[in-house]
Amino acid sequence: MGAFLRNKIFLALASVIAGAAACWLAGSVLGLLCPIVAAFVLSNDRLRSQFRAVLVAGFLISAIVAVAEGSEPTAISIAVLFGLSFFIGEVIGASIEKVPNSNSLVTAFIDDRDEDVPPSLSVIHPEDRLLASHAVAYAFWTGVPQVVKYRQRQADGKYSVAEMRAEPGYSVSVNVDPMVSDCNERWLKMGPVGETADAIRAAKVIESLYGKAWALNAEGQFTYVTPSGQIAIGMTLEDLNRPLNGRPFLDGGDNGWSLGVHPDDYPQAAEAFRHSLRTGEHWHVEYRMLRTTGQYVWHRIAARPTADAAGRITGWYGTSVDIDVYKRTEMALRESEGSLRQLIETVPALIWSTSADGEPIYFSQQFRDFLGFDVDAKDIVGRTRLSVVLEEIVHPDYRQRLTETFFDALKTGEPFSFKHRLRRFDGQFRWVEMRVAAMKKADGTIVQWNGVCFDVEDQERSQEELRRAQERYARASQAASLSELSASIAHEVGQPLAALVSSSDACQRWLSTEPPNLERARAALERIVRSAATAVDTVKRVRALFKRAAETHQSEAVKVVITEARELLAEEALKRGVTISLEVEQHLPLVAMDRVQVQQVLTNLMRNGIDAMDGSMNEKRLKIRARLLEGAVQIDISDAGPGVEFPEKIFEPFFTTKGDQGMGMGLAICRSIIDSHGGRLWVGETGQTGATFSFTLPIDSAINSYESTIGGGDVV
């Protein structure tokens, strides 16, 4: 039923045929009911309102005549005809308006719940439907949202003004203000059609697609402009055609439409249009058009002529498409491209690109300045640009390997890096580090290769200087180590030799007395023998050190080792007025040690203490204490000297406070020995006088028995 009612042409023909048949068969005017109803339904809203008035008036007049004539049959028939026509027309018209128009350009956007999309054209006032349809088409072609006001039928059948926003249906990358249109009766006026009927029909076809169209006569006067187009520029046909300087447009005059064109664009557009009007050539032009909002926006305009059978131009039809969105997008892209290009050109690196097959296509400004030429300056007929460029700028030592590496990357698509020497514009080769990667599409197809070269000449020189400095340092370190080793040997051998000389002097002195003191001389000789044995052992250990022989630690009693070290220095201490006291805790466990090395540590620390008390007016006492602390034996050697002036440096090699008399190796060697035993050597906090050097020797947990019991508390 709905499809049948929508086909108005079929309805009109059927009603005329049915009415004629009824009149002929029945011989009554009631047969005219069908054509009258069809005419009522096919009329637009304005005509339908007038039609209602005619039907109502005809019904009232016929009824009055029928009553006055005493129920005249003809008058009654006419009254019934008018009444039924009015009633049936209203019913059928209401049924038609309830059926949506599926052919409308707007039905694809129907959603009564969304105010920003057009409703069905069936609920829009018929006079506003073109406006809504054009707004949708124009939004799609231009990318500019269109806001229009229209009359929309409400549930009670009355119309009220509503607002519709038509969106392009796709995203736009720039900010766009919507175009707002307010319909008015004055936009619906048309000019004299004349011979431009064909042009107007063509314009209406165009506007159904693009939303804006117009028609002109052969002299360039507008005879038709889409209402939405008039609204957009704020000009009626009268405004567009109004002469401004009294001369026809073809003779160089200006019409009102010139006021809607940017002053910088109008002369060229007008001259091109005059040329087209004279020659019949198609008109294509771009210019900025003034909107009612006061903004100039870019439009692309095209026009075509219409001609009669003789080929004479009868009019013109054309369209103007708002391309401001595209112009602004293009400008934004150019600005972005310019910013990116400026960024690339100013990056402190040498940037270049090649095509997918490796042919160079771009050198950055930095690269051009470095090389002294652009990418195409070295082209040679018959040779690839890549081979020429590589031969021109890459050092011969690296050219072959770089070429092979690059061609391998072209086959695999994998990025690579390469360090080589590059020829500068002045002929100097400089080290560069090059990194190359492929730019690919989403499907992995390589578009081009991008590379960057960093000038690393200064870094290479710095690294070379650093390598040379390291070599010099290594040689100096070897010399210093040899010097340190020599000093260490001299120091270690000197300790027992000094004790040997001292004991020899004592032995000679005791034998020279009258009568000779043989007992003391014998004791001195025993010390001489021990000192000589210590010197021999020291030399053996030095030799073992050079042979990388393994150290042999044996379980020793701490008290015995300390006592022997004291005996080695007893004569010297007596001669220098120093008293040595020994305090050892009872039952100290045996300690795994190198006996000679630990004695070297003890004698070194004891001699340092004796030396420190030279010239002191206080009592010269050297105290040695051994005790068990947390799994290790700790030995403290305290003197009554002036203390340690530089405790943080005292263990550094070659650091000495003894002037020319010291080598600065004693404490460094002592610490090395204690470290090799797994212990620790340090100097305690010193007060006004005196210093205490302490070291630990870890206890061997494997020793479960003592070879002897050590007494403690002895004071000598």
Side-chain angles (χ1 to χ4, degrees), residues 598-609:
V598 174
Q599 282 187 352
Q600 288 175 352
V601 173
L602 288 167
T603 56
N604 198 342
L605 296 176
M606 291 165 64
R607 179 172 283 107
N608 286 345

Side-chain angles (χ1 to χ4, degrees), residues 1-15 41 92 96 99:
M1 179 63 180
F4 175 79
L5 290 176
R6 282 197 300 268
N7 196 332
K8 296 183 178 181
I9 297 176
F10 181 84
L11 177 63
L13 292 175
S15 61
V41 172
I92 296 177
I96 292 176
V99 178

Side-chain angles (χ1 to χ4, degrees), residues 40-41 68 70 137 140 159 167 173 180-181 305 319 378-379 385 392 427 447 480 487 534 555 588 597 606 610 616 702:
F40 182 85
V41 172
F140 173 77
Y159 287 95
E167 296 288 349
S173 60
V180 181
S181 303
T319 184
K378 302 294 182 179
D379 288 353
R385 181 180 292 177
E392 181 72 22
V447 178
T534 300
S555 299
L588 284 180
Q597 288 185 345
M606 291 165 64
I610 294 172
S616 175

Side-chain angles (χ1 to χ4, degrees), residues 177 179 232-233 235 256-266 287-299 322-325 327-328 331:
D177 295 328
M179 182 185 295
I233 61 177
M235 292 186 184
W257 65 269
S258 65
L259 300 177
V261 182
H262 195 283
D264 295 341
D265 303 334
Y266 174 72
Y287 59 75
R288 286 163 287 181
M289 187 181 297
L290 181 64
R291 281 183 184 167
T292 54
T293 58
Q295 297 174 315
Y296 282 101
V297 294
W298 281 99
H299 280 70
D322 186 334
I323 60 171
D324 198 59
V325 169
K327 287 284 188 180
R328 292 165 61 183
M331 185 180 300

